[in-house]
Amino acid sequence: MTDQPQKIVALVDGSVYSASVCENAAWISQRTEAPVELIHVLGRREAPEKRDLSGAIKLGARSALLQELADLDAQRAKLISHRGRAILEDARAILDKAGINEITTRLRQGDIVEAIGEIEADARVIMIGKRGEAADFAKGHLGSNLERIIRASTKPVFVAARAFKPIEKVLVAYDGGVSAMKAVDHIARSPLFQGLLVHVVTVGTATAEVKKGLEDAKALLKAAGLEAETSIIPGQPETALGKLIDESQFDMLVMGAYGHSRIRTLIIGSTTTAMIRSCKVPVVLLR
């Protein structure tokens, strides 16, 4: 093991969410003293590549036209790379302004999930915006890469909301499942949550098992020096949690990516998806 602190990996794509991703990364870095790595991934359709254009033109075409098409393709690839570097420079400027000193940038090619798989070993958290570049055109949908990253990553995934807001009150959705217990343990161990109010809530019926689970969660948080409260509220998680966040003005939701009663499949839990879609605050997911 190395004493080097694990880095905050922030994925930026130039969307309206990228500024929020950077501002949240700066906030986490200030509280944890972790360095930040900014990453922009050129998708396979964007990535510069050599293509044989001759098949697109039939007999009789001039070789000069083929060369012109090849030149245009090379120019497009160059512009896409320049755009990626510009996005990273803008992101770095946000972190510089926040006083973050340890910043690295990386432009990668290929599939974003494969990129995460290669870099997450040294990451303490993966940060991404709730929606991508088409955010204004798809307000009811999550970013196309978000679910894939949550499904693939073994590290906490921080899903940034559209606008950054300093975080003081944290709501933890607790269902007694493995990922929910992992979320509480993560909060107890992380310097990020020191000094914040943490409220652990279960949506459902107040059974003896539920009460015991909440008592254990509260005890773990209290032992870590955190101000913790618990409650049990009725209703369906998707609506009850969203209402509680709005009414009590929580600044962040932490939850497991899978419910305890759900067999792990190739998709994340439906409650998780619904909460990310409806929540107006950042959501931190742990598997």
Side-chain angles (χ1 to χ4, degrees):
M1 292 290 291
T2 175
D3 293 331
Q4 183 72 19
Q6 288 188 306
K7 60 194 174 188
I8 299 159
V9 173
L11 303 171
V12 291
D13 62 0
S15 71
V16 294
Y17 284 81
S18 287
S20 177
V21 168
C22 294
E23 289 163 343
N24 277 289
W27 177 78
I28 294 174
S29 179
Q30 289 163 349
R31 294 182 65 85
T32 63
E33 299 184 351
V36 179
E37 180 159 53
L38 298 164
I39 296 179
H40 178 71
V41 180
L42 302 175
R44 287 200 172 106
R45 284 179 292 181
E46 290 182 313
E49 58 183 12
K50 292 182 179 179
R51 290 191 291 170
D52 181 9
L53 296 164
S54 60
I57 299 177
K58 303 305 178 185
L59 293 174
R62 294 191 179 191
S63 59
L65 180 56
L66 288 177
Q67 184 59 50
E68 185 178 351
L69 287 169
D71 291 344
L72 285 171
D73 200 47
Q75 184 180 14
R76 173 182 174 276
K78 188 176 181 181
L79 287 171
I80 288 170
S81 291
H82 285 335
R83 175 181 178 273
R85 291 188 180 92
I87 288 171
L88 289 171
E89 288 172 8
D90 286 347
R92 176 188 276 275
I94 293 173
L95 291 163
D96 281 336
K97 187 176 180 181
I100 307 304
N101 296 319
E102 291 187 76
I103 309 165
T104 55
T105 62
R106 197 189 304 193
L107 185 67
R108 291 187 58 109
Q109 298 177 10
D111 182 76
I112 192 168
V113 172
E114 290 177 6
I116 292 298
E118 293 171 10
I119 62 178
E120 72 168 359
D122 297 327
R124 67 181 300 136
V125 62
I126 307 294
M127 307 190 65
I128 186 173
K130 185 187 295 188
R131 299 184 182 93
E133 289 182 276
D136 291 324
F137 301 98
K139 293 184 178 178
H141 300 279
L142 299 177
S144 59
N145 288 314
L146 177 56
E147 183 170 322
R148 296 177 64 228
I149 289 170
I150 295 168
R151 189 169 67 226
S153 179
T154 61
K155 296 298 177 73
V157 177
F158 185 110
V159 184
R162 181 181 283 254
F164 169 74
K165 178 186 175 185
I167 295 164
E168 298 176 357
K169 293 178 65 177
V170 178
L171 182 66
V172 183
Y174 187 83
D175 65 0
V178 173
S179 58
M181 290 187 282
K182 184 176 179 181
V184 173
D185 183 66
H186 174 77
I187 291 169
R189 293 171 181 272
S190 174
L192 178 64
F193 297 91
Q194 288 296 322
L196 305 182
L197 172 64
V198 180
H199 190 116
V200 186
V201 62
T202 294
V203 181
T205 307
T207 65
E209 183 182 4
V210 167
K211 290 179 180 178
K212 176 66 164 58
L214 288 175
E215 287 172 5
D216 290 345
K218 183 175 182 176
L220 180 61
L221 295 170
K222 289 276 191 180
L226 294 169
E227 185 180 350
E229 298 177 358
T230 64
S231 62
I232 302 169
I233 59 176
Q236 295 299 315
E238 299 94 315
T239 52
L241 290 173
K243 183 179 179 183
L244 181 60
I245 288 168
D246 289 341
E247 291 181 350
S248 299
Q249 297 184 318
F250 283 97
D251 305 312
M252 177 193 286
L253 172 66
V254 181
M255 64 188 297
Y258 296 88
H260 73 288
S261 61
R262 177 178 296 274
I263 297 173
R264 289 196 178 188
T265 61
L266 292 178
I267 60 171
I268 59 176
S270 59
T271 298
T272 307
T273 306
M275 286 309 307
I276 299 172
R277 185 183 295 118
S278 62
C279 250
K280 297 177 183 176
V281 299
V283 180
V284 178
L285 295 157
L286 293 101
R287 288 181 49 183

